[in-house]
Structure formats: C-alpha cells, structure tokens
Amino acid sequence: MEVRNIQSPDNFKLTYYVSGEANEEAVVIFNAPGMSVKFWIPIISELSKKYKILCMEYRGFPDGTEQLTLEDLSFDKIVNDFHHIIEHENVSSFHALSWCLGAKVKLSLYQKHPEKIISMHSLNMAFKRSDGIEKGPFSRMVQQLKKKLETGESSISRIIKIMSSIGTIPNTDFLSIIDMEEDNTTLNLYEFLENESSMSSLAFYLIDNKIGLMNYLNIYSGFSANDQVETLRNIKIPVYVYIGEKDKMVTFKPEDTALFESNDMIHPIVIEEGSHFMLI
C-alpha cells in the first residue's frame, strides 16, 4: 500500500492508503475509529487485485502525538475528510466497505452524495444513536472512561496491564495474523478481548498512550450521537449487512430486523461463529 497525506479543509494532516490500479473500479474502506488500517491488510491484498482501494486514518491518527479537541473531531468534519480524499483521488463512484461504527460515516456520506456510492458492505454494522436512555454497556463504559480521564482518574494502566499479561499491545504488526497460526500471541489477545469485559475490549482500539485514547474517545462522542436509521430505511442502493453470530459488541433487536426487512435493498447475512472482530 502507498501512504499518502493531504491537508483537510480546516488544515489538519490526513493520512490515507492507496492500493490497486488507478483505472480500476474503486472500493473505499470506512474503518472503525481508532482502528489500525493494518487490520484490513488481508482483505486489501485480495481486493486490490481487482479494485483501487482507499482507506483513511481518522484525524489524530496514526501518530497520536497531538490531542485534538471535541470540535476538531466532530462527526461532520470526519465525514468531510472522507469526501475530501475521495475527491482528491478523482474517484467518481465506489463500493463502500465498513466495519462497526465506520458504517455511520458512509451512510452519512450517502446522504450528502448518493450518486457516488454503488453498493455498501457492512461488517458488524453500528448505525443507531447510542447515547440515549437505552445506551448499551459499551457506550456507557466509553463515556465513563472519558470522564475519568478528564478528571485525572485514568484507567489506562489497567488496560496496559491486561494487554501486557497476554504478551502484546495494540501497535503490534497485524501482518503476523494473516496465516492465523494457532499459537499466535496477537490472535490470542483478540480472542481474549472478545471474551472479556467491554473495558478490555476497548483496549483493542487503542494506541498505547493517553493522547491516542482521548482522540478516540472524542471521535466516539460524535459517532455515538449520530443516528442513521432513516438513511437505511430509505436507501436505494444494495446494502449487505454481515452479522457475526457471536458478536457481543453490536447486537440487533427485533426492531432492527424489521428495519432490514422493510427495505428490499438491505440484505442481512449471518456469519456462523463470527465475532465482533471476525475480520481476523
């Protein structure tokens, strides 16, 4: 993959990756916030044989040396970052591939520029508002952790201790998991996090420093408040929703199933034994 950098319209450095041939049909990857693009390497390697691939780091990543404000990391600005890169690369239309909260960015981009997206493919799609009365345990935990950090009661040491006991930390080389070796320590870490509490699951997203964590939590604040139910209800392009059968982080209720059934363009696909981190 080729690493490229441009400035955002409000003058922030944006890092993104390009793979595949320029004259091929395009795929844009909308990652979960804070997640390393390396997580997608096995899929990028396969898709780049046929498609031009674009994948963006969220502002504030990957270097994690500058703590950005809540306003700097607002949801609308992140959506505009994606659009800015797509325009810069002269991509007129594309297939949109997302994981978890990344679905909210592409759905919002579809609202603004429906002519650009050919189809959507959503792995473990989070699409609802999650900071209301019925917010889930992960959303509650994120908000509590953010409050503790802002008041000086940091939980980072506990997270690092959990990761260290497994033998690796988030900035590990994701290339090592491609072959899925049974005794691979990175793979063991992800399996451990999937089975542990939501607190330790958060460790999967993090760069191991406070700046990266605060940037992630500020990004999450904008994502959690964003609701894309109506966009899905009215969407007019094919949407494939891949649901991990054992996903504990994103769960679907009967009303979600009813939403999917209300629009013939939405195609839910259940992945047997699939977890939230089923990409690996």
Side-chain angles (χ1 to χ4, degrees):
M1 293 187 294
E2 181 183 348
V3 182
R4 298 181 183 177
N5 296 288
I6 60 171
Q7 295 298 113
S8 70
D10 54 344
N11 206 33
F12 281 96
K13 177 184 175 182
L14 302 177
T15 298
Y16 66 102
Y17 307 88
V18 180
S19 185
E21 298 298 325
N23 59 346
E24 297 288 353
E25 201 170 359
V27 170
V28 178
I29 295 176
F30 296 80
N31 212 0
M35 279 288 301
S36 171
V37 170
K38 292 179 180 179
F39 185 71
W40 290 84
I41 284 176
I43 288 179
I44 291 172
S45 298
E46 188 63 31
L47 290 179
S48 60
K49 297 174 184 176
K50 183 179 179 181
Y51 301 96
K52 175 181 179 177
I53 311 295
L54 294 181
C55 189
M56 189 191 83
E57 297 276 11
Y58 287 82
R59 51 172 62 191
F61 294 91
D63 56 354
T65 58
E66 180 182 3
Q67 186 171 323
L68 307 183
T69 67
L70 192 62
E71 182 180 355
D72 291 334
L73 295 167
S74 69
F75 182 79
D76 285 341
K77 288 184 178 179
I78 287 171
V79 173
N80 289 338
D81 288 346
F82 272 90
H83 183 247
H84 185 57
I85 289 172
I86 290 165
E87 291 292 292
H88 181 75
E89 288 291 326
N90 296 314
V91 174
S92 58
S93 62
F94 58 90
H95 301 278
L97 175 58
S98 69
W99 183 68
C100 193
L101 286 165
K104 290 189 176 184
V105 181
K106 71 179 183 184
L107 286 165
S108 184
L109 193 60
Y110 173 82
Q111 285 182 309
K112 297 179 178 181
H113 306 281
E115 76 287 350
K116 285 191 171 294
I117 303 181
I118 302 167
S119 68
M120 293 188 184
H121 302 263
S122 305
L123 300 166
N124 294 321
M125 177 176 65
F127 63 93
K128 296 179 293 185
R129 188 180 183 94
S130 59
D131 64 345
I133 296 174
E134 298 183 359
K135 62 186 177 184
F138 183 75
S139 182
R140 290 199 303 272
M141 180 275 300
V142 167
Q143 300 303 331
Q144 289 168 3
L145 180 56
K146 187 172 188 291
K147 184 176 180 180
K148 285 183 178 181
L149 280 168
E150 289 172 338
T151 58
E153 300 177 60
S154 175
S155 299
I156 295 178
S157 59
R158 179 188 170 193
I159 293 172
I160 297 299
K161 183 177 180 181
I162 290 171
M163 293 185 290
S164 298
S165 69
I166 301 300
T168 188
I169 54 177
N171 60 7
T172 186
D173 184 0
F174 281 74
L175 285 170
S176 64
I177 69 173
I178 290 177
D179 294 330
M180 300 286 287
E181 298 95 336
E182 197 168 318
D183 60 347
N184 185 285
T185 55
T186 307
L187 181 58
N188 291 340
L189 169 65
Y190 300 153
E191 289 175 344
F192 173 82
L193 295 180
E194 178 70 2
N195 293 322
E196 283 295 307
S197 68
S198 55
M199 173 64 80
S200 57
S201 293
L202 179 63
F204 180 75
Y205 296 85
L206 304 179
I207 308 302
D208 55 324
N209 61 60
K210 182 176 178 178
I211 291 176
L213 177 55
M214 288 303 296
N215 285 344
Y216 167 76
L217 294 175
N218 282 335
I219 290 172
Y220 184 85
S221 296
F223 273 76
S224 65
N226 194 274
D227 196 300
Q228 294 295 334
V229 173
E230 286 304 310
T231 308
L232 279 170
R233 183 170 284 121
N234 299 302
I235 204 161
K236 301 184 187 304
I237 60 172
V239 178
Y240 299 90
V241 182
Y242 302 92
I243 303 167
E245 184 182 43
K246 295 187 175 181
D247 186 359
K248 301 174 185 177
M249 302 289 285
V250 176
T251 57
F252 294 106
K253 297 180 179 180
E255 56 264 34
D256 302 319
T257 303
L259 170 63
F260 298 159
E261 291 175 348
S262 71
N263 188 336
D264 291 339
M265 301 305 290
I266 303 176
H267 309 280
I269 301 167
V270 176
I271 307 299
E272 292 185 9
E273 300 297 315
S275 68
H276 192 63
F277 306 128
M278 63 184 175
L279 272 179
I280 65 170

